[in-house]
Amino acid sequence: MKKERAPTIRDVAKAAGVGMGTVSRVINDSGYVGKETRQRVQEAIESLSFKPNFIASGMRSNRLRSIGVIVSDITNPMFAAIVQKAQQILLENDYQLFLGVTNDDPELEVQLFQTLEHQGVSGIMATLNDDSSPQTAAMIESLGVPVVLLNRALVHGKATVVASEQETGCRQAIDHLVEQGHRSIGLLITDQTTLPGRERHSAITSALARHRLAPPPELVATVRHDVSSGYQAMAKLMTLEMRPSAVVVGSNRALIGALDYLRQNHLRYPQDVSIIGFDETDVTRLLSPAITIVNRDYGALTTTAVDLLLQRINKPLRKTETVLQPTWLEKRESVSKMADQAGT
């Protein structure tokens, strides 16, 4: 049996009584089309079950209706949630998502940016391994497609940024610990090569200073976004002669390692040490006791970033801008009063 021919843009134009250019403007939502004419075209599209071929139209304009999304680690729950939300929004806007994962490899990161541009994506949304690198800034500014950075900000260049405002959540976290009587507070903070590490370090230090506190160097450790570094850093703090009564862990992956160290060494939270983490994950939500966290809305963060990127695609000369999303403390069960902790 001969396969039925799929309807074309010419068929839609004929059914609606308009030219193919008018149909194209309706499909791509570009240029002026009168209300009644637009309705006729949309009715024709629906009645014919016409499916626009965005790939073909993109090839003719040398740009696909697609967006590149670059993240460092797809196994990180935060990045997985961001990719899932971005794909949902892009599909609603008739864009496809091309995913690149750097695995914290700076050379692969550069390769992914260049490959996505050469493949003809309309724009790129990315987190960076190191937003303090001059080479990374120069590479991004040289690209011929719009870029929006998510929770990253170029130290040596300009880019449109959507990021979390860290000051409020960090201040609330330190205030909560101090209210519960904690003065010896350990910090497991990510390094200064990305915006969250710089902002969290600054915000926590400022919040401690408001209470006339400053952690000694031995109570501060740098962690990566992985389990092993969290384990090692917590081991360093908890084997000190004067170990902290509370620890703030600035990475959701490092938090898993920190909690694993406590478990393996028969230490309990919050009885032996109070814990505050960052970002909602299954671990923070489902563990008992539940983990107190500095939280943010991944969905709102991603929605804003994708919307800005689509705006920049339609208006390439739009100035770069920075949009900050809020953070807040969610008090749960992992912080206790000093009088309730073992040995106090």
Side-chain angles (χ1 to χ4, degrees):
M1 181 180 293
K2 187 176 180 181
K3 187 176 180 181
E4 186 176 347
R5 180 178 67 86
T8 66
I9 192 170
R10 187 184 299 275
D11 297 326
V12 174
K14 183 177 180 180
V18 299
M20 289 190 292
T22 301
V23 176
S24 178
R25 288 195 294 276
V26 172
I27 292 171
N28 294 299
D29 195 23
S30 62
Y32 174 77
V33 178
K35 184 177 180 180
E36 292 182 1
T37 302
R38 181 180 294 275
Q39 184 174 346
R40 290 205 314 274
V41 171
Q42 290 171 338
E43 289 174 352
I45 289 173
E46 185 175 347
S47 66
L48 294 171
S49 298
F50 173 69
K51 302 294 183 184
N53 188 341
F54 290 118
I55 292 180
S57 62
M59 290 175 66
R60 287 191 291 272
S61 64
N62 294 322
R63 286 289 162 211
L64 301 178
R65 284 186 68 88
S66 60
I67 298 296
V69 175
I70 298 176
V71 298
S72 58
D73 180 6
I74 196 60
T75 66
N76 186 315
M78 179 184 71
F79 292 136
I82 286 170
V83 170
Q84 185 176 32
K85 184 64 176 180
Q87 178 170 267
Q88 174 193 331
I89 300 169
L90 290 171
L91 288 175
E92 290 171 355
N93 286 274
D94 295 318
Y95 277 84
Q96 296 295 318
L97 183 151
F98 290 168
L99 176 63
V101 181
T102 69
N103 296 318
D104 293 320
D105 182 340
E107 292 184 1
L108 178 57
E109 180 177 83
V110 172
Q111 181 182 340
L112 287 171
F113 270 103
Q114 294 173 342
T115 298
L116 287 169
E117 181 187 22
H118 293 159
Q119 287 181 342
V121 298
S122 299
I124 299 173
M125 183 178 78
T127 63
L128 300 174
N129 297 321
D130 181 357
D131 61 11
S132 66
S133 163
Q135 292 78 16
T136 298
M139 180 269 295
I140 289 176
E141 290 183 330
S142 71
L143 294 173
V145 296
V147 174
V148 170
L149 299 181
L150 194 58
N151 275 325
R152 301 292 187 267
L154 298 178
V155 174
H156 299 282
K158 292 183 178 181
T160 291
V161 173
V162 179
S164 301
E165 174 274 317
Q166 301 289 343
E167 195 272 336
T168 301
C170 290
R171 185 188 69 245
Q172 291 174 353
I174 297 302
D175 287 350
H176 181 47
L177 290 175
V178 172
E179 287 167 3
Q180 300 305 308
H182 296 278
R183 297 296 182 271
S184 178
I185 300 171
L187 305 178
L188 306 187
I189 302 297
T190 53
D191 63 27
Q192 308 291 295
T193 60
T194 61
L195 181 66
R198 295 191 297 272
E199 294 289 307
R200 286 173 184 171
H201 184 274
S202 175
I204 290 173
T205 302
S206 296
L208 287 168
R210 290 176 61 248
H211 296 283
R212 298 183 180 179
L213 296 174
E218 62 268 22
L219 290 187
V220 180
T222 299
V223 294
R224 302 181 304 277
H225 292 287
D226 61 53
V227 174
S228 63
S229 70
Y231 185 101
Q232 294 163 8
M234 183 61 92
K236 171 189 171 184
L237 296 190
M238 299 308 290
T239 53
L240 291 171
E241 184 176 350
M242 296 293 292
R243 70 191 190 194
S245 64
V247 177
V248 178
V249 186
S251 160
N252 57 41
R253 299 300 297 278
L255 175 64
I256 296 173
L259 295 175
D260 189 37
Y261 173 83
L262 297 180
R263 180 187 63 82
Q264 290 193 30
N265 289 274
H266 309 291
L267 294 169
R268 301 166 301 165
Y269 72 91
Q271 294 92 333
D272 296 308
V273 61
S274 290
I275 298 288
I276 292 182
F278 279 77
D279 298 328
E280 183 77 284
T281 66
D282 289 343
V283 171
T284 60
R285 185 174 59 253
L286 299 178
L287 274 182
S288 181
I291 305 294
T292 295
I293 57 168
V294 176
N295 205 2
R296 52 185 165 176
D297 187 337
Y298 297 158
L301 199 71
T302 308
T303 299
T304 301
V306 173
D307 286 347
L308 277 178
L309 184 55
L310 295 179
Q311 290 174 32
R312 293 189 66 79
I313 290 169
N314 292 325
K315 295 182 179 179
L317 299 181
R318 182 185 176 114
K319 291 183 178 180
T320 59
E321 56 194 298
T322 297
V323 178
L324 297 179
Q325 296 285 331
T327 59
W328 63 92
L329 183 70
E330 294 201 7
K331 299 178 183 178
R332 294 174 180 165
E333 303 160 353
S334 63
V335 174
S336 66
K337 290 185 178 181
M338 273 293 293
D340 297 332
Q341 283 198 354
T344 61

